[in-house]
Every structure is written in structure tokens, then in C-alpha cells.
Amino acid sequence: MKVRFGVGTGSAGTPADLPELVDRLEAAGVDSLWFSELIFAPTVDPVVGMAFALSRTTHLKVGTSVAILPGRHPVLVAEQLASLAALAPKRVLPVFGLQPAGPQERELFPVAGRRGDVFDESLRLLRAVLRADGVDFDGDFFTVRGARVGNRPTRPLDIWLGGRAPAAFRRIGRYGDGWLGSFLSPAEAAAGVAAIRAEAAAAGREIEADHFGITLLLAQHGIPAELSAGITRQRPGTDPAGLVAASWPELHRLIDGYLEAGLSKFVVVPAAGKPLDGFLDRFVTELLPRQN
């Protein structure tokens, strides 16, 4: 399996810092840069950030960790992804999720039915339009005739999904090409990989062995109170200290556990401060030698 490490902007990916960050990542040979969808934070929109980063680089990959699909029309999303892929082939890594982590942002992605059902249908339509021209689709939430995108990639884009609930594992097995988890222990991640593979097999599909990854937070100066509260909301009863690395040695220990669990792609996010505040130099020194 190809082991790869990328940098996540998290809530610190501000427009002012992005040009230098992108240039330094490209110069250092870092694999990828990941944009989170945080509407009310002073961050760059993921699609805008990906386009900007791709325009300044020739090797750096870009991804979303994660963008919200339910609440957006899948054909419009397909057009955005296809346009990015046409501008920078093999460097666009979309990952979609069910809903924003922040409850105050959920009303910005309204859906006409049960959100999980809308997500499933959105994925079916998104994948269809990225793989064929003239798509006719009749669903419970979307109906299109002759849908197509102008720059459909010759090789369909891989669509990865987030999530950690049983319903998410079923969805990934049926409709996803990979998994990017978050806030999971190595043991929980191993169980997730097994569940996704089982769901894929039941659907007559197979997820590639190196298409399992996780977002990891590094909190060298202690877990910020806001982050701790956010983790507690997402994982009630779970100690945030068990899911966030408190040092570089702890990060390596967690990575070892995730590798053993079958994960090979890692998005590392500085939990406090900005990626340029000493984090990036240490990232290059600590993690690039672990790639194969």
C-alpha cells in the first residue's frame, strides 16, 4: 500500500496564509493539501481553495476533508469536480460527508427528505454524471434528463466518503471509492475497514486496499477548549485526549496503530496555530520519510 501524508488546513486555513502554504508544500514535495468546509470560520471555501492551489502547482494534490454533499445538486457538484480534474488531472481528491460538524451550519444545507436517503441518491447521480454523458435519472429527490458535464474525465474521479457510523460504512461500501475517517481510535478504524469491506462485498464491489485513510489532529500545546467541546459533541462519552495526538511521538504511535488497522492515507492538521507556525517544517522532517 502507498503510505501518504497530507496537510489539513482545518480552521486555520486563512486566505492570507494560503499562497505561502501552497508554495512551501509544493517545494517540499508534500503529497496533498486538504480543505475543510467550515462556513462560519475565516477559512477558504474548499472548491475555491482547491482551484487556487492547483493553479500554483504542478504536483500537489488537493482534497476536501470533508465537503457536504446533501443540500447541493449533484450535477452542479459534478461540473465543479470535472472542471478541476480537467485543469489538473489526477490531483483532485473529493471527500464528501453527510452534514457539517457545527449544528449552526446545518440549516445551510437543506434537503427535501431524510438526509441519509438524499445523500445516497446524490452519490448515485454524482457518480453517474461523472461516468457517462446524457444521463437520465429518476429518483425520489432528483430528476434529470440528458445530464452531462462538459469536461468529464476519461478516468472517473474517485469519490471518497467520511463518517464513522454503521450507516456511513454501508454507504461507503455501496457508493464510495474510499474512506477518510476522523476521531477514531486505531481499533475503531480497523472495525470500520472491516465493515466497509463487508458492505462492498455484499454489493458486489471492492474498495481498493490503499483507499482507507484518516484525519489526525496534532495538539502540541494542549487540546484547545473549542476542539475538545466539538469532539465531545461528536463522540459523547469519549475522552478527546485519546483521539488527538499530544506530541509528535504520540502522532507516530497513532499512525503505527492505523497502519496496522489497514489505513494508509493520513491528513494531519495542527490543532492549534497555523500550518506555517513551525508545523510544516516538522511535518516534512517527521512524516515524509515514512512515505513509500
Side-chain angles (χ1 to χ4, degrees), residues 102-193:
Q104 71 276 19
E105 297 180 352
R106 293 175 186 172
E107 63 185 23
L108 304 178
F109 298 90
V111 296
R114 182 177 172 273
R115 182 167 289 273
D117 295 336
V118 175
F119 195 5
D120 291 348
E121 188 169 302
S122 297
L123 288 166
R124 296 202 306 272
L125 179 53
L126 175 66
R127 293 173 66 89
V129 175
L130 286 173
R131 284 161 170 75
D133 294 328
V135 172
D136 294 334
F137 187 94
D138 291 289
D140 295 327
F141 311 105
F142 302 100
T143 299
V144 299
R145 290 289 177 268
R148 61 181 298 164
V149 294
N151 298 288
R152 184 167 60 84
T154 303
R155 181 186 183 278
L157 283 167
D158 286 336
I159 304 298
W160 288 37
L161 305 176
R164 53 182 168 268
F169 298 149
R170 288 194 295 272
R171 181 173 296 116
I172 298 162
R174 294 171 184 173
Y175 307 118
D177 299 303
W179 176 42
L180 186 68
S182 62
F183 301 129
L184 292 163
S185 69
E188 291 170 329
V193 170

Coordinates of all heavy atoms in Angstrom, one line a residue, residues 102-193:
G102 N -20.7 21.5 12.8 CA -21.3 22.5 13.6 C -22.8 22.6 13.4 O -23.2 22.8 12.3
P103 N -23.6 22.5 14.5 CA -25.0 22.5 14.3 C -25.5 23.8 13.7 O -26.6 23.8 13.0 CB -25.5 22.3 15.7 CG -24.4 22.6 16.6 CD -23.2 22.3 15.9
Q104 N -24.9 24.9 13.9 CA -25.3 26.2 13.4 C -25.2 26.3 11.9 O -25.8 27.1 11.2 CB -24.6 27.3 14.0 CG -23.1 27.5 13.6 CD -22.2 26.6 14.4 OE1 -22.6 25.6 15.0 NE2 -20.9 26.9 14.4
E105 N -24.4 25.4 11.3 CA -24.3 25.4 9.8 C -25.2 24.4 9.1 O -25.3 24.4 7.8 CB -22.8 25.1 9.5 CG -21.8 26.1 10.0 CD -20.4 25.8 9.7 OE1 -20.1 24.7 9.1 OE2 -19.5 26.6 9.9
R106 N -25.9 23.6 9.8 CA -26.7 22.5 9.2 C -27.8 23.1 8.4 O -28.2 22.5 7.3 CB -27.1 21.5 10.2 CG -26.0 20.7 10.8 CD -26.4 19.8 11.9 NE -25.2 19.2 12.5 CZ -25.2 18.5 13.6 NH1 -26.4 18.2 14.2 NH2 -24.1 18.0 14.1
E107 N -28.4 24.2 8.8 CA -29.5 24.8 8.1 C -29.1 25.3 6.8 O -30.0 25.7 5.9 CB -30.2 25.9 9.0 CG -29.3 27.1 9.2 CD -29.9 28.1 10.2 OE1 -30.8 27.7 10.9 OE2 -29.5 29.2 10.1
L108 N -27.8 25.5 6.5 CA -27.4 26.0 5.2 C -27.4 24.9 4.1 O -27.2 25.2 2.9 CB -25.9 26.5 5.3 CG -25.7 27.6 6.4 CD1 -24.3 28.0 6.5 CD2 -26.6 28.8 6.1
F109 N -27.6 23.7 4.5 CA -27.7 22.5 3.5 C -29.0 21.8 3.6 O -29.1 20.7 4.1 CB -26.5 21.6 3.8 CG -25.2 22.2 3.7 CD1 -24.5 22.8 4.8 CD2 -24.5 22.2 2.5 CE1 -23.3 23.4 4.6 CE2 -23.3 22.8 2.3 CZ -22.6 23.4 3.4
P110 N -30.1 22.5 3.3 CA -31.4 21.9 3.4 C -31.7 20.8 2.4 O -31.2 20.8 1.3 CB -32.4 23.1 3.2 CG -31.6 24.0 2.2 CD -30.2 23.9 2.7
V111 N -32.4 19.8 2.9 CA -32.8 18.7 2.0 C -34.3 18.4 2.1 O -34.9 18.8 3.0 CB -32.0 17.4 2.4 CG1 -30.5 17.6 2.2 CG2 -32.3 17.0 3.8
A112 N -34.8 17.8 1.0 CA -36.2 17.6 0.9 C -36.7 16.3 1.6 O -37.9 16.0 1.5 CB -36.7 17.6 -0.5
G113 N -35.8 15.5 2.2 CA -36.2 14.3 2.8 C -35.2 13.9 3.9 O -34.5 14.7 4.3
R114 N -35.2 12.6 4.2 CA -34.3 12.1 5.2 C -32.9 12.3 4.7 O -32.6 11.9 3.5 CB -34.6 10.7 5.5 CG -33.6 10.1 6.6 CD -34.0 8.6 6.9 NE -33.1 8.0 7.7 CZ -32.0 7.4 7.3 NH1 -31.7 7.3 6.0 NH2 -31.1 6.8 8.1
R115 N -32.0 12.9 5.4 CA -30.7 13.3 4.9 C -29.9 12.2 4.4 O -29.2 12.3 3.4 CB -29.9 14.1 6.0 CG -28.6 14.6 5.6 CD -28.0 15.6 6.6 NE -28.7 16.9 6.5 CZ -28.4 17.9 5.7 NH1 -27.5 17.7 4.8 NH2 -29.1 19.0 5.8
G116 N -29.9 11.0 5.1 CA -29.2 9.9 4.6 C -29.7 9.4 3.3 O -28.9 9.0 2.4
D117 N -31.0 9.4 3.1 CA -31.5 9.0 1.8 C -31.1 9.9 0.7 O -30.8 9.5 -0.4 CB -33.1 8.9 1.9 CG -33.5 7.8 2.9 OD1 -32.7 6.8 3.1 OD2 -34.7 7.9 3.4
V118 N -31.1 11.2 1.0 CA -30.7 12.2 0.0 C -29.3 12.0 -0.4 O -28.9 12.1 -1.5 CB -31.0 13.6 0.5 CG1 -30.5 14.7 -0.5 CG2 -32.5 13.8 0.7
F119 N -28.4 11.7 0.6 CA -27.0 11.5 0.4 C -26.8 10.3 -0.5 O -26.1 10.4 -1.5 CB -26.3 11.3 1.8 CG -24.8 11.4 1.7 CD1 -24.1 11.8 0.6 CD2 -24.1 11.1 2.9 CE1 -22.7 11.9 0.6 CE2 -22.7 11.2 2.9 CZ -22.0 11.6 1.8
D120 N -27.5 9.2 -0.2 CA -27.3 8.0 -1.1 C -27.7 8.3 -2.5 O -27.0 8.0 -3.5 CB -28.2 6.9 -0.6 CG -27.7 6.3 0.7 OD1 -26.6 6.6 1.1 OD2 -28.5 5.6 1.4
E121 N -28.9 9.0 -2.7 CA -29.3 9.3 -4.1 C -28.4 10.3 -4.7 O -28.1 10.2 -6.0 CB -30.7 9.8 -4.1 CG -31.3 10.0 -5.5 CD -32.8 10.2 -5.5 OE1 -33.5 9.4 -4.9 OE2 -33.2 11.3 -6.0
S122 N -27.9 11.3 -4.0 CA -26.9 12.3 -4.5 C -25.7 11.6 -5.0 O -25.1 11.9 -6.1 CB -26.5 13.3 -3.4 OG -27.7 14.0 -3.0
L123 N -25.2 10.6 -4.3 CA -24.0 9.9 -4.7 C -24.2 9.1 -6.0 O -23.4 9.0 -6.9 CB -23.5 8.9 -3.6 CG -22.9 9.6 -2.4 CD1 -22.8 8.7 -1.2 CD2 -21.5 10.2 -2.7
R124 N -25.4 8.5 -6.1 CA -25.7 7.7 -7.3 C -25.7 8.6 -8.5 O -25.2 8.3 -9.6 CB -27.0 7.0 -7.2 CG -27.0 5.9 -6.1 CD -28.1 4.9 -6.3 NE -29.5 5.4 -6.5 CZ -30.3 5.7 -5.4 NH1 -29.9 5.4 -4.2 NH2 -31.5 6.2 -5.7
L125 N -26.3 9.8 -8.4 CA -26.4 10.7 -9.5 C -25.1 11.3 -9.8 O -24.7 11.4 -11.0 CB -27.4 11.8 -9.2 CG -27.6 12.9 -10.3 CD1 -27.9 12.3 -11.6 CD2 -28.7 13.8 -9.9
L126 N -24.3 11.7 -8.8 CA -23.0 12.3 -9.0 C -22.1 11.3 -9.7 O -21.4 11.7 -10.7 CB -22.4 12.6 -7.6 CG -20.9 13.1 -7.6 CD1 -20.8 14.5 -8.3 CD2 -20.4 13.2 -6.2
R127 N -22.1 10.1 -9.3 CA -21.2 9.1 -9.9 C -21.7 8.8 -11.4 O -20.8 8.7 -12.3 CB -21.2 7.8 -9.1 CG -20.6 7.9 -7.7 CD -20.8 6.6 -6.9 NE -20.1 5.5 -7.5 CZ -18.8 5.2 -7.3 NH1 -18.1 5.9 -6.4 NH2 -18.2 4.2 -7.9
A128 N -23.0 8.8 -11.6 CA -23.5 8.5 -12.9 C -23.0 9.6 -13.9 O -22.6 9.4 -15.0 CB -25.0 8.4 -12.9
V129 N -23.1 10.9 -13.5 CA -22.8 12.0 -14.4 C -21.3 12.1 -14.6 O -20.8 12.5 -15.7 CB -23.4 13.3 -13.8 CG1 -22.9 14.5 -14.6 CG2 -24.9 13.3 -13.8
L130 N -20.5 11.7 -13.6 CA -19.0 11.7 -13.8 C -18.5 10.5 -14.7 O -17.4 10.5 -15.1 CB -18.3 11.6 -12.5 CG -18.4 12.9 -11.6 CD1 -17.8 12.7 -10.2 CD2 -17.6 14.1 -12.3
R131 N -19.4 9.6 -15.0 CA -19.0 8.4 -15.7 C -19.7 8.2 -17.1 O -19.3 7.4 -17.9 CB -19.3 7.1 -14.9 CG -18.3 6.9 -13.7 CD -18.9 6.0 -12.7 NE -17.8 5.6 -11.7 CZ -17.3 6.5 -10.8 NH1 -17.8 7.7 -10.7 NH2 -16.4 6.1 -10.0
A132 N -20.7 9.1 -17.4 CA -21.4 8.9 -18.7 C -22.0 10.2 -19.1 O -22.2 11.1 -18.3 CB -22.5 7.8 -18.5
D133 N -22.2 10.4 -20.4 CA -22.9 11.5 -20.9 C -24.4 11.2 -21.1 O -24.8 10.0 -21.3 CB -22.3 11.9 -22.3 CG -20.9 12.4 -22.2 OD1 -20.5 13.0 -21.1 OD2 -20.1 12.2 -23.1
G134 N -25.2 12.2 -21.1 CA -26.6 12.1 -21.4 C -27.3 11.2 -20.4 O -28.1 10.3 -20.7
V135 N -27.1 11.5 -19.1 CA -27.7 10.7 -18.0 C -29.1 11.1 -17.8 O -29.5 12.2 -17.6 CB -26.9 10.9 -16.7 CG1 -27.6 10.2 -15.6 CG2 -25.4 10.3 -16.9
D136 N -30.0 10.1 -17.9 CA -31.4 10.2 -17.4 C -31.5 9.6 -16.1 O -31.1 8.4 -15.8 CB -32.3 9.5 -18.4 CG -32.4 10.2 -19.8 OD1 -32.1 11.4 -19.9 OD2 -32.6 9.4 -20.8
F137 N -32.1 10.3 -15.1 CA -32.1 9.8 -13.7 C -33.5 10.2 -13.1 O -33.9 11.3 -13.2 CB -31.0 10.5 -12.9 CG -30.8 9.9 -11.5 CD1 -29.9 8.9 -11.3 CD2 -31.6 10.5 -10.5 CE1 -29.8 8.4 -10.0 CE2 -31.4 10.0 -9.2 CZ -30.5 9.0 -8.9
D138 N -34.2 9.2 -12.6 CA -35.4 9.4 -11.9 C -35.3 8.9 -10.5 O -35.2 7.6 -10.2 CB -36.5 8.6 -12.6 CG -36.9 9.2 -13.9 OD1 -37.5 10.3 -14.0 OD2 -36.6 8.6 -15.0
G139 N -35.2 9.8 -9.5 CA -35.1 9.4 -8.1 C -36.2 10.0 -7.3 O -37.1 10.6 -7.8
D140 N -36.1 9.8 -6.0 CA -37.1 10.4 -5.1 C -36.9 11.9 -4.9 O -37.8 12.6 -4.5 CB -37.0 9.7 -3.7 CG -37.4 8.2 -3.8 OD1 -38.3 7.9 -4.6 OD2 -36.9 7.4 -3.1
F141 N -35.6 12.3 -5.1 CA -35.3 13.7 -4.8 C -34.7 14.5 -6.0 O -34.7 15.7 -6.0 CB -34.2 13.8 -3.7 CG -34.6 12.9 -2.5 CD1 -34.0 11.7 -2.3 CD2 -35.6 13.3 -1.6 CE1 -34.3 10.9 -1.2 CE2 -36.0 12.5 -0.5 CZ -35.3 11.3 -0.3
F142 N -34.2 13.7 -7.0 CA -33.6 14.4 -8.2 C -34.2 13.7 -9.5 O -34.3 12.4 -9.5 CB -32.1 14.3 -8.2 CG -31.4 14.9 -7.0 CD1 -31.0 14.1 -6.0 CD2 -31.3 16.2 -6.9 CE1 -30.4 14.6 -4.8 CE2 -30.7 16.8 -5.8 CZ -30.2 16.0 -4.8
T143 N -34.5 14.5 -10.4 CA -34.9 14.0 -11.8 C -34.2 14.9 -12.8 O -34.3 16.1 -12.8 CB -36.4 14.1 -12.0 OG1 -37.1 13.3 -11.0 CG2 -36.8 13.6 -13.4
V144 N -33.4 14.2 -13.7 CA -32.7 14.9 -14.7 C -32.8 14.2 -16.0 O -33.0 12.9 -16.0 CB -31.2 15.1 -14.4 CG1 -31.0 15.9 -13.1 CG2 -30.5 13.8 -14.2
R145 N -32.7 14.9 -17.1 CA -32.7 14.3 -18.4 C -31.5 14.8 -19.2 O -31.2 16.0 -19.3 CB -34.0 14.7 -19.2 CG -35.3 14.1 -18.6 CD -35.3 12.6 -19.0 NE -36.5 11.9 -18.4 CZ -36.5 11.4 -17.2 NH1 -35.4 11.4 -16.5 NH2 -37.6 10.8 -16.8
G146 N -30.8 13.8 -19.8 CA -29.6 14.2 -20.6 C -28.5 14.9 -19.9 O -27.8 15.7 -20.5
A147 N -28.4 14.7 -18.6 CA -27.4 15.4 -17.8 C -26.0 15.0 -18.2 O -25.7 13.8 -18.5 CB -27.6 15.1 -16.3
R148 N -25.1 16.0 -18.3 CA -23.7 15.7 -18.7 C -22.8 16.9 -18.2 O -23.4 18.0 -17.9 CB -23.5 15.6 -20.2 CG -23.9 16.9 -21.0 CD -23.8 16.6 -22.5 NE -22.4 16.4 -22.8 CZ -22.0 15.9 -23.9 NH1 -22.8 15.5 -24.9 NH2 -20.7 15.7 -24.2
V149 N -21.6 16.7 -18.0 CA -20.6 17.7 -17.7 C -19.7 17.9 -18.9 O -19.4 17.0 -19.6 CB -19.8 17.4 -16.4 CG1 -20.8 17.4 -15.2 CG2 -19.1 16.1 -16.5
G150 N -19.3 19.2 -19.1 CA -18.5 19.5 -20.3 C -17.1 19.0 -20.3 O -16.5 18.8 -21.4
N151 N -16.5 18.6 -19.2 CA -15.1 18.2 -19.2 C -15.0 16.9 -18.4 O -14.1 16.7 -17.5 CB -14.2 19.3 -18.5 CG -14.2 20.6 -19.3 OD1 -13.7 20.6 -20.3 ND2 -14.9 21.6 -18.7
R152 N -15.9 15.9 -18.7 CA -15.9 14.7 -18.0 C -14.5 14.0 -18.1 O -14.0 13.8 -19.2 CB -17.0 13.8 -18.5 CG -17.1 12.5 -17.7 CD -18.4 11.8 -18.1 NE -18.5 11.4 -19.5 CZ -18.0 10.3 -20.0 NH1 -17.3 9.5 -19.3 NH2 -18.1 10.1 -21.3
P153 N -13.9 13.6 -17.0 CA -12.6 12.9 -17.0 C -12.7 11.6 -17.7 O -13.7 10.9 -17.6 CB -12.2 12.7 -15.5 CG -13.1 13.7 -14.8 CD -14.4 13.8 -15.6
T154 N -11.6 11.3 -18.5 CA -11.6 10.0 -19.1 C -11.6 8.9 -18.1 O -12.3 7.8 -18.3 CB -10.3 9.9 -20.0 OG1 -10.2 10.9 -20.9 CG2 -10.2 8.5 -20.7
R155 N -10.8 9.1 -17.0 CA -10.9 8.1 -15.9 C -11.7 8.7 -14.8 O -11.4 9.8 -14.3 CB -9.5 7.8 -15.3 CG -9.4 6.9 -14.2 CD -8.0 6.7 -13.6 NE -8.0 5.7 -12.6 CZ -8.3 5.9 -11.3 NH1 -8.8 7.1 -10.9 NH2 -8.2 5.0 -10.4
P156 N -12.8 8.1 -14.4 CA -13.7 8.7 -13.4 C -13.0 9.1 -12.1 O -12.1 8.3 -11.7 CB -14.8 7.6 -13.2 CG -14.8 6.8 -14.4 CD -13.4 6.8 -14.9
L157 N -13.4 10.2 -11.5 CA -12.8 10.6 -10.3 C -13.2 9.6 -9.2 O -14.3 9.1 -9.2 CB -13.3 12.0 -9.9 CG -12.6 13.2 -10.5 CD1 -13.5 14.4 -10.3 CD2 -11.2 13.4 -10.0
D158 N -12.3 9.3 -8.3 CA -12.6 8.5 -7.1 C -13.4 9.4 -6.1 O -12.9 10.5 -5.8 CB -11.4 8.0 -6.4 CG -10.8 6.8 -7.2 OD1 -11.5 6.1 -7.9 OD2 -9.6 6.6 -7.0
I159 N -14.5 9.0 -5.6 CA -15.3 9.7 -4.6 C -15.1 9.0 -3.3 O -15.6 7.9 -3.1 CB -16.8 9.7 -5.0 CG1 -16.9 10.3 -6.4 CG2 -17.6 10.5 -4.0 CD1 -16.5 11.8 -6.6
W160 N -14.4 9.7 -2.4 CA -14.3 9.1 -1.0 C -15.4 9.7 -0.1 O -15.9 10.8 -0.4 CB -12.9 9.5 -0.5 CG -11.8 8.7 -1.1 CD1 -11.6 8.4 -2.4 CD2 -10.6 8.3 -0.4 NE1 -10.4 7.7 -2.6 CE2 -9.8 7.6 -1.4 CE3 -10.1 8.3 0.9 CZ2 -8.6 7.1 -1.1 CZ3 -8.9 7.8 1.2 CH2 -8.1 7.1 0.3
L161 N -15.6 9.0 1.0 CA -16.6 9.5 1.9 C -16.1 9.5 3.3 O -15.2 8.7 3.7 CB -17.9 8.6 1.8 CG -18.5 8.4 0.5 CD1 -19.7 7.4 0.5 CD2 -19.0 9.8 -0.1
G162 N -16.6 10.4 4.2 CA -16.3 10.4 5.6 C -17.4 9.6 6.3 O -18.2 8.9 5.8
G163 N -17.3 9.7 7.7 CA -18.3 9.1 8.5 C -17.7 8.0 9.4 O -16.7 7.4 9.0
R164 N -18.4 7.6 10.4 CA -17.9 6.6 11.3 C -19.1 5.8 11.9 O -18.8 4.9 12.8 CB -17.1 7.2 12.4 CG -17.7 8.3 13.2 CD -16.8 8.8 14.3 NE -17.4 10.1 14.8 CZ -17.1 11.3 14.3 NH1 -16.2 11.4 13.3 NH2 -17.7 12.4 14.8
A165 N -20.3 6.0 11.5 CA -21.5 5.3 12.0 C -21.7 4.1 11.1 O -21.3 4.0 9.9 CB -22.7 6.2 12.0
P166 N -22.4 3.1 11.6 CA -22.8 1.9 10.7 C -23.4 2.3 9.4 O -23.1 1.7 8.4 CB -23.7 1.1 11.6 CG -23.3 1.4 13.0 CD -22.9 2.8 13.0
A167 N -24.3 3.3 9.4 CA -24.9 3.8 8.2 C -23.9 4.3 7.2 O -24.0 4.1 6.0 CB -26.0 4.8 8.5
A168 N -22.9 5.0 7.7 CA -21.8 5.5 6.9 C -21.0 4.4 6.2 O -20.7 4.5 5.1 CB -20.9 6.4 7.7
F169 N -20.7 3.4 7.0 CA -20.0 2.2 6.5 C -20.8 1.5 5.4 O -20.2 1.1 4.3 CB -19.6 1.2 7.6 CG -18.7 1.8 8.6 CD1 -18.8 1.4 10.0 CD2 -17.8 2.8 8.3 CE1 -18.0 1.9 11.0 CE2 -17.0 3.4 9.3 CZ -17.1 2.9 10.6
R170 N -22.1 1.4 5.6 CA -22.9 0.8 4.5 C -22.9 1.7 3.2 O -22.7 1.2 2.1 CB -24.4 0.7 5.0 CG -24.6 -0.4 6.0 CD -26.1 -0.7 6.2 NE -26.8 0.5 6.7 CZ -27.0 0.7 8.0 NH1 -26.4 -0.1 8.9 NH2 -27.6 1.7 8.5
R171 N -22.9 3.0 3.4 CA -22.9 3.9 2.3 C -21.6 3.9 1.5 O -21.5 3.8 0.3 CB -23.2 5.4 2.8 CG -23.2 6.4 1.7 CD -23.7 7.8 2.3 NE -25.0 7.7 2.8 CZ -25.3 7.8 4.1 NH1 -24.4 8.0 5.0 NH2 -26.6 7.7 4.5
I172 N -20.5 3.8 2.3 CA -19.2 3.8 1.6 C -19.0 2.5 0.8 O -18.5 2.5 -0.3 CB -18.1 3.9 2.7 CG1 -18.2 5.3 3.4 CG2 -16.7 3.7 2.1 CD1 -17.4 5.3 4.7
G173 N -19.5 1.4 1.5 CA -19.4 0.1 0.8 C -20.2 0.1 -0.5 O -19.7 -0.5 -1.5
R174 N -21.3 0.7 -0.5 CA -22.2 0.7 -1.7 C -21.8 1.7 -2.8 O -22.0 1.5 -4.0 CB -23.6 0.9 -1.2 CG -24.2 -0.2 -0.4 CD -25.5 0.1 0.2 NE -26.0 -0.9 1.1 CZ -27.1 -0.8 1.9 NH1 -27.8 0.4 1.8 NH2 -27.5 -1.7 2.7
Y175 N -21.4 2.9 -2.3 CA -21.3 4.0 -3.3 C -19.9 4.7 -3.3 O -19.7 5.5 -4.1 CB -22.3 5.1 -3.0 CG -23.7 4.6 -2.9 CD1 -24.5 4.6 -1.7 CD2 -24.3 4.0 -4.0 CE1 -25.8 4.2 -1.6 CE2 -25.6 3.5 -3.9 CZ -26.3 3.6 -2.8 OH -27.6 3.1 -2.7
G176 N -19.0 4.4 -2.3 CA -17.8 5.1 -2.2 C -16.6 4.4 -2.8 O -16.6 3.2 -3.1
D177 N -15.6 5.1 -3.1 CA -14.3 4.6 -3.6 C -13.2 4.6 -2.6 O -12.1 4.1 -2.8 CB -13.8 5.4 -4.8 CG -14.8 5.3 -6.0 OD1 -15.1 4.2 -6.4 OD2 -15.3 6.4 -6.4
G178 N -13.5 5.2 -1.4 CA -12.6 5.2 -0.3 C -13.2 5.8 0.9 O -14.3 6.3 0.9
W179 N -12.4 5.8 2.0 CA -12.9 6.3 3.3 C -11.9 7.1 3.9 O -10.7 6.8 4.0 CB -13.3 5.1 4.2 CG -13.7 5.5 5.6 CD1 -14.5 6.5 6.0 CD2 -13.3 4.8 6.8 NE1 -14.7 6.5 7.3 CE2 -14.0 5.5 7.9 CE3 -12.5 3.7 7.1 CZ2 -13.8 5.1 9.2 CZ3 -12.3 3.4 8.5 CH2 -13.0 4.0 9.5
L180 N -12.3 8.3 4.4 CA -11.5 9.2 5.2 C -12.2 9.4 6.5 O -13.1 10.2 6.6 CB -11.2 10.5 4.5 CG -10.2 11.5 5.2 CD1 -8.8 10.9 5.2 CD2 -10.2 12.9 4.6
G181 N -11.8 8.7 7.5 CA -12.4 8.8 8.8 C -11.8 9.9 9.7 O -10.9 10.6 9.3
S182 N -12.4 10.0 10.9 CA -11.9 11.1 11.8 C -12.3 10.7 13.2 O -13.4 10.1 13.4 CB -12.4 12.5 11.4 OG -13.8 12.5 11.5
F183 N -11.5 11.1 14.2 CA -11.9 11.0 15.6 C -12.2 9.5 15.9 O -13.3 9.2 16.5 CB -13.0 11.9 16.0 CG -12.7 13.4 15.8 CD1 -13.6 14.2 15.2 CD2 -11.5 13.9 16.3 CE1 -13.3 15.5 15.0 CE2 -11.2 15.2 16.1 CZ -12.1 16.1 15.5
L184 N -11.3 8.6 15.5 CA -11.5 7.2 15.8 C -10.2 6.7 16.3 O -9.1 7.1 15.9 CB -11.8 6.4 14.5 CG -13.2 6.7 13.8 CD1 -13.1 6.2 12.4 CD2 -14.3 6.0 14.6
S185 N -10.3 5.7 17.2 CA -9.1 5.0 17.7 C -8.6 4.0 16.6 O -9.4 3.7 15.7 CB -9.4 4.3 19.0 OG -10.3 3.2 18.7
P186 N -7.4 3.5 16.7 CA -7.0 2.5 15.7 C -7.9 1.3 15.7 O -8.2 0.7 14.7 CB -5.6 2.2 16.2 CG -5.1 3.5 16.7 CD -6.2 4.1 17.5
A187 N -8.3 0.9 16.9 CA -9.2 -0.3 17.0 C -10.5 0.0 16.3 O -11.1 -0.9 15.6 CB -9.4 -0.7 18.4
E188 N -11.1 1.2 16.5 CA -12.3 1.5 15.8 C -12.2 1.7 14.3 O -13.0 1.3 13.6 CB -12.9 2.9 16.4 CG -13.3 2.8 17.9 CD -13.6 4.1 18.5 OE1 -12.9 5.1 18.1 OE2 -14.5 4.2 19.3
A189 N -11.0 2.2 13.9 CA -10.7 2.3 12.5 C -10.6 0.9 11.8 O -11.1 0.7 10.7 CB -9.4 3.1 12.3
A190 N -10.0 -0.1 12.5 CA -9.9 -1.4 12.0 C -11.3 -2.0 11.8 O -11.6 -2.7 10.8 CB -9.1 -2.3 12.9
A191 N -12.2 -1.8 12.8 CA -13.6 -2.3 12.7 C -14.3 -1.6 11.5 O -15.1 -2.2 10.8 CB -14.3 -2.1 14.0
G192 N -14.0 -0.3 11.3 CA -14.6 0.4 10.2 C -14.2 -0.2 8.9 O -15.0 -0.3 7.9
V193 N -12.9 -0.4 8.7 CA -12.4 -1.0 7.5 C -13.1 -2.3 7.2 O -13.5 -2.6 6.1 CB -10.9 -1.2 7.5 CG1 -10.3 -2.0 6.4 CG2 -10.2 0.2 7.6

